[in-house]
Amino acid sequence: MSSSAAMVTMIDRQVGEVLALLKELGIDDNTLVVFASDNGPQGETSREMGNQGTPDMGNSGPFRGELGEATEGSIRTFCLVRWPGKVKPGTSSYAMFSIMDFFPTFADLSGVSVNSIPRLKINGVSISGRIQDLPVEMPVRTLYWEFGKQAGDPNSGIVGEVFQAARRGPWKAVRYGIQSPVELYNLNSDPGESTELSEINPEIHEEFVRLF
């Protein structure tokens, strides 16, 4: 608990320093601030991946899993956005997006077309409309994650067992190892990924199998 409390205190102080500097420079009202996490809480799985000596930190709430897994507890994280006059305080969204969407979003908000940048290939999409709470529909797409656990010595750098996950709409598929079966879940009705649905949804399951 002491390590977790110290981490929260440090983050709170450092974010406060950034916001104070923006105000001091007179650009507070014209700066978009994004605070996001790249993974869920740390635990035993994280230590198995090579993060030795790290204590348990955080809680994934109703979601199963932690950092280094293919479950929602590992890959579904929060994102806070502050932009005075553009983002209405207290609003929220459950739109599905990824950190890879940040670059095209920032470009869009800056009036820059990512298509105008030579040789640039990106997988992300702009979510500027959702950030500003505009009635914009997110494109239907499939997001994919892959986690490689360390093989042998935690510092070997050799990738061993691979975990995979994919999400399209309410459907989520996971596979824990290349030779393992692909599991299927409906996150709308089962955010904790407790009921495997491949047998009663074979067509959807097969689509993810082909993807993996």
Side-chain angles (χ1 to χ4, degrees), residues 116-194:
S116 66
I117 305 175
R119 298 182 299 280
L120 177 65
K121 294 182 180 181
I122 59 174
N123 293 318
V125 299
S126 173
I127 57 171
S128 61
R130 298 309 295 261
I131 285 179
Q132 299 176 80
D133 200 28
L134 300 176
V136 178
E137 290 294 326
M138 292 286 289
V140 178
R141 56 181 174 156
T142 300
L143 295 182
Y144 175 79
W145 297 264
E146 186 173 294
F147 305 91
K149 298 181 68 174
Q150 297 283 356
D153 185 283
N155 299 313
S156 68
I158 301 174
V159 177
E161 190 176 29
V162 175
F163 294 167
Q164 297 167 283
R167 169 91 186 268
R168 184 174 67 252
W171 297 103
K172 164 85 175 290
V174 298
R175 182 165 67 175
Y176 298 98
I178 301 300
Q179 304 303 320
S180 300
V182 175
E183 302 173 12
L184 182 68
Y185 300 94
N186 187 310
L187 298 181
N188 282 358
S189 58
D190 180 29
E193 298 169 272
S194 60

Side-chain angles (χ1 to χ4, degrees), residues 74-143:
S74 173
I75 61 179
R76 184 188 295 212
T77 62
F78 67 88
C79 176
L80 305 178
V81 177
R82 179 184 183 274
W83 195 9
K86 298 290 186 177
V87 176
K88 184 179 179 181
T91 58
S92 61
S93 173
Y94 289 95
M96 182 179 70
F97 69 93
S98 167
I99 286 179
M100 66 182 179
D101 296 328
F102 286 165
F103 178 76
T105 298
F106 298 154
D108 188 19
L109 293 171
S110 302
V112 177
S113 171
V114 293
N115 296 323
S116 66
I117 305 175
R119 298 182 299 280
L120 177 65
K121 294 182 180 181
I122 59 174
N123 293 318
V125 299
S126 173
I127 57 171
S128 61
R130 298 309 295 261
I131 285 179
Q132 299 176 80
D133 200 28
L134 300 176
V136 178
E137 290 294 326
M138 292 286 289
V140 178
R141 56 181 174 156
T142 300
L143 295 182

